[in-house]
Amino acid sequence: MAALLHYYAHPGQRFSQVNSAMWRAAQTVEAITSVDLYRDYPRHIIDVGHEQRLIADHDAVLLQFPLFWYSSPSLLKEWIDLVFADGFAYGEGGDKLRGKRMMLAVTASASQQAYSPEGYQHYPLRTFLTPFEQTARLSMMRFGAPYVMFEALKAAPGAHAAGFARLLTAIRDDHFDWDRAEQAEILTHDTLPLTEKA
Amino acid sequence: MTTDFLLLAFILLGAGAVAVPIATRLGLGSVLGYLIAGIVISPILAALHVDVVAIQHFAEFGVVMMLFLVGLELQPRTLWEMRGRLLGLGGLQVLGTTAIVTAAAIALGQPWTVALAIGLVLSLSSTAIVLQTLNEKGLMRSDGGQASFSVLLFQDIAVIPMLALIPLLAMPELAQEAASHVADTEEHDAGLSLVAGLPGWQAALVTIAAIASVVAGGIYLTRPVFRYIAMANLRELFVATALLFIVGIALLMSLVGLSPALGTFIAGVVLANSEYRHELESDINPFRGLLLGLFFMTVGAGINFVLLSENPFSIIGMTLGLMVIKATVLMALAWIFRLRGADKWLFSLGLAQAGEFGFVLLSFTVANFVMPEAVADRLSLIVALSMLLTPLLFILFERVILPRFDGKNAREADEIDSKGQIIVAGIGRFGGVVNRMLLAAGYETTVLDYSASQLETLRAFDVRVFYGDATRADLLEAAGIAEARMLVIAIDQREATTELVRHVTSTYPHVYVIARAMDRHHVYELWAAGCRDIIRDTFDSSVRAGRSAYEALGIHPYEAERLARIYVDDDRHLLREMADLYDPEVPTHLNEPYVKRARELSAERMEAMAKGGGAFRDRAHSAWLRPSEQDRAATEERQD
């Protein structure tokens, strides 16, 4: 059993299809910790001590958010800025995250083809996520490939949400193959790297 | 008798009312105005056989009050911080000037005792003229102004040992000469003494006990007494008590043969930290002003023009000589204490006159047989003339010297000004929070409240509060509104708040005003009165309650937060728009543009409600994501 900490950051949940479905699916997974950041900090004032204790008590951190202008919603950035502090995540004595895992679950409105040198987004999706990857690296965390859904405003969310629940369960039960996840470019509901037992 | 008194009062008040505004407008300062008024009315007073000296003795009580007020301004800590300049500059000024003037007087043929008395009398400068002028011209906070204040303060304190020293200089022949015809008056004085006839050590004990009782009374007795009086909530009663307090101290000091000014000065310092400080200051200040004005008028009226016309050259020569000596000593001190540029000149020229304490000391020297009356009369004339010349020196400084230094002074003064204080009016639940927040962030505040019981409670929790009604202009003045940076008005009375805003924004436009409004219409009133930072006292808590309701209804907390913010924005916008149309002179329902716009807005709102929230909802809905087709369909469904 791995202690999994699931963060959800979405300021406009009223309009969310896929992310809401993912959040609802996550609620069905028992024995993981799920946090709705915008619910806990509607006024953007983050309890840094509480958040750091929470991360310290878990083995893996999964950040779920829609991609806004090639980055996360602003509260999640604020959360990283404050929680991944000197002396906690990096710097002198900053080894509190060593050996833990980080993973992203993002939704993007453009198609996968758009995220390529020929597409109108010009770069592969992973390029835009390098700040998170390097944040994990500097904090001595292992970074798995992101769990992605493209064209999130058009497609039906059912399969992706169900896959998300399977992903969370697998991580919780140590049936998730982190080595393969680190090798992959992106993960989708039908390419989850699960071990035999799952 | 009554007619005589009324006539005299009419003449004195009338002369002041006519002369002072003219003098002030000409930039000569109020003191010179009073002096000139006195000179002008002196023939009338002489014709009416008015005893000017008797009035002057009565008016000298203004000096006693002034020292009380000087003491009130002077917290023991401030006194301690100033000690270097106070003792160095002040001490050397008094010693140096006394020595040179004494030597000059001996050279002019006076016996050494008289010469020393002359030196002491003339070493003092005029606190009233200099402080008044520095304040009027905004030079108080410059380095030169601060140095001047240190010297004046030292002089005010130095008067006390001088009063003790001067009787020792008494000339036996003068005393004997006077003894015969003064005997009966002396009996009157002696009848009211606690120390007469006591052996030296007992007299000393009684004297020390009297001072100790002033200090102890100031520390332990004033608070319960003033609190008891404040409970009655009658302003005149408080004024009467404050006067009683000062008169009582002056009386006690006179009884033990000490200067009443010393007693009230000590009482002032003791009360400098008291919560009743500003109230006392504003209550005593008008009396001090009136009495000092009267005092200056009697000085002017007492100028002996016969004496001046008899030997004009020697008197005027000695006056100028005195001022040159004083200015030279000050210049040397300014050099030693590294005053620079224009400050050096301000300090030297500003303090080059003899002062009002000179008159007090002169009458004291004559009464103690230290100096023949003829000499004292001449000195009085010199003191008065030097005071008359002082405003001219200030004008010289302002017009000729200051421009040469390229306005350097003014800029330095501004920097110091920027750390002005914050006044919080009213320390109930509203003002209390504001005050605690300011203190928590390391700002210093002056808190005013007129509830004596509230005061007592807060003092118990170490909150520094001053007793007094902040809506009174004089109290606000005493609390330092003229130098303040910000005023927070958190009092309960609606009308009084508006009046206070109007007064402060028009009289002290540099003070930032934050006012508490009771409701929407009060906001308009405050806006019209000139306040630009208005806080409705229950609005923010109501919005939070509304937000809690949203959350409890299942709206996501972040959504609830956004809705609340949009509501606040909309409401503020509305308020701002209506505030411009509001006219305090016209009742709202007769104000046509106001009524028209209010109707329009109300109609807009009704229409929006009918469409399910209208603009409010549209703004709330424009979020980070473009709504999908399904979202739009779902929203429309909900609205139908």
Side-chain angles (χ1 to χ4, degrees), chain B residues 494-516:
Chain B
R494 183 194 172 110
E495 305 295 325
T497 303
T498 313
E499 273 316 302
L500 187 54
V501 164
R502 190 166 292 130
H503 170 65
V504 172
T505 51
S506 60
T507 318
Y508 310 101
H510 65 280
V511 178
Y512 189 87
V513 179
I514 301 174
R516 164 202 199 175

Side-chain angles (χ1 to χ4, degrees), chain A residues 13-15 17 36 43, chain B residues 556 558-559 561 621 631:
Chain A
Q13 293 178 20
R14 178 203 292 273
F15 306 109
Q17 296 288 312
D36 178 351
R43 284 166 279 291
Chain B
H556 188 276
Y558 188 63
E559 180 86 6
E561 170 69 19
H621 281 198
D631 291 333

Side-chain angles (χ1 to χ4, degrees), chain B residues 373-495:
Chain B
E373 214 161 340
V375 178
D377 285 346
R378 279 184 172 209
L379 287 175
S380 269
L381 194 51
I382 292 174
V383 171
L385 287 176
S386 73
M387 285 165 82
L388 269 169
L389 289 175
T390 300
L392 302 177
L393 290 181
F394 270 110
I395 291 168
L396 176 76
F397 170 78
E398 219 175 23
R399 304 261 160 90
V400 180
I401 294 167
L402 201 54
R404 285 200 192 173
F405 289 94
D406 211 11
K408 220 167 58 185
N409 261 38
R411 242 175 289 139
E412 282 168 16
D414 277 347
E415 278 170 30
I416 302 166
D417 255 345
S418 66
K419 58 175 184 184
Q421 55 154 348
I422 301 165
I423 299 177
V424 179
I427 180 110
R429 290 175 304 159
F430 192 90
V433 171
V434 179
N435 188 46
R436 279 195 293 278
M437 285 180 71
L438 288 168
L439 295 178
Y443 290 99
E444 279 190 24
T445 59
T446 302
V447 181
L448 304 171
D449 203 298
Y450 66 89
S451 156
S453 52
Q454 176 93 323
L455 239 64
E456 207 65 17
T457 320
L458 288 167
R459 280 263 161 172
F461 292 102
D462 287 332
V463 180
R464 265 175 65 85
V465 187
F466 294 104
Y467 171 82
D469 180 356
T471 59
R472 265 172 39 211
D474 56 346
L475 189 106
L476 212 52
E477 180 73 31
I481 186 77
E483 289 89 38
R485 162 183 186 178
M486 182 187 290
L487 170 68
V488 181
I489 307 174
I491 55 178
D492 289 331
Q493 297 82 358
R494 183 194 172 110
E495 305 295 325

Side-chain angles (χ1 to χ4, degrees), chain B residues 17-91:
Chain B
V18 171
V20 174
I22 296 175
T24 313
R25 191 151 303 172
L26 294 176
L28 305 175
S30 61
V31 182
L32 194 62
Y34 282 119
L35 288 168
I36 293 169
I39 294 172
V40 171
I41 60 170
S42 64
I44 308 176
L45 296 181
L48 291 172
H49 302 291
V50 173
D51 186 354
V52 173
V53 178
I55 299 178
Q56 186 166 345
H57 282 315
F58 170 69
E60 270 166 21
F61 201 70
V63 180
V64 172
M65 286 178 163
M66 184 165 76
L67 265 188
F68 176 70
L69 294 175
V70 168
L72 269 186
E73 288 289 337
L74 204 74
Q75 296 183 10
R77 183 166 45 93
T78 322
L79 193 61
W80 182 246
E81 279 164 9
M82 287 174 60
R83 65 194 182 279
R85 277 198 162 176
L86 196 63
L87 294 178
L89 270 180

Side-chain angles (χ1 to χ4, degrees), chain A residues 6-196:
Chain A
H6 163 219
Y7 278 107
Y8 173 41
H10 198 315
Q13 293 178 20
R14 178 203 292 273
F15 306 109
S16 162
Q17 296 288 312
V18 179
N19 275 289
S20 294
M22 289 166 73
W23 172 257
R24 282 193 301 274
Q27 304 309 298
T28 64
V29 180
E30 286 177 6
I32 67 167
T33 309
S34 275
V35 176
D36 178 351
L37 266 186
Y38 276 92
R39 175 182 296 276
D40 281 9
Y41 303 113
R43 284 166 279 291
H44 281 235
I45 297 169
I46 288 163
D47 182 346
V48 176
H50 170 75
E51 294 299 321
Q52 289 182 341
R53 282 191 296 278
L54 206 56
I55 300 182
D57 288 345
H58 289 80
D59 306 311
V61 178
L62 192 147
L63 308 175
Q64 177 203 339
F65 57 90
L67 202 64
F68 286 176
W69 282 108
Y70 317 111
S71 185
S72 68
S74 62
L75 182 58
L76 182 60
K77 178 67 166 73
E78 177 87 346
W79 177 85
I80 292 172
D81 289 351
L82 296 176
V83 176
F84 282 50
D86 187 358
F88 178 77
Y90 71 99
E92 198 177 332
D95 58 353
K96 309 293 186 290
L97 301 178
R98 183 198 294 274
K100 295 184 190 295
R101 328 257 177 182
M102 183 194 281
M103 196 173 153
L104 309 182
V106 299
T107 58
S109 66
S111 65
Q112 186 158 16
Q113 288 71 39
Y115 286 98
S116 70
E118 298 77 34
Y120 72 91
Q121 302 290 18
H122 197 68
Y123 297 101
L125 178 68
R126 284 297 292 266
T127 307
F128 298 114
L129 299 180
T130 47
F132 297 93
E133 190 173 345
Q134 177 57 21
T135 299
R137 186 166 294 138
L138 195 71
S139 308
M140 295 169 287
M141 301 172 87
R142 294 179 69 184
F143 187 78
Y147 179 67
V148 181
M149 176 164 183
F150 291 103
E151 293 178 89
L153 293 179
K154 290 180 188 159
H160 189 71
F164 189 56
R166 282 205 306 283
L167 168 69
L168 296 174
T169 312
I171 294 175
R172 181 195 70 192
D173 296 340
D174 291 323
H175 293 158
F176 188 73
D177 190 338
W178 283 99
D179 292 333
R180 272 162 63 205
E182 279 178 290
Q183 300 304 316
E185 174 77 10
I186 61 166
L187 305 177
T188 55
H189 66 93
D190 49 4
T191 59
L192 288 175
L194 306 181
T195 53
E196 318 294 287

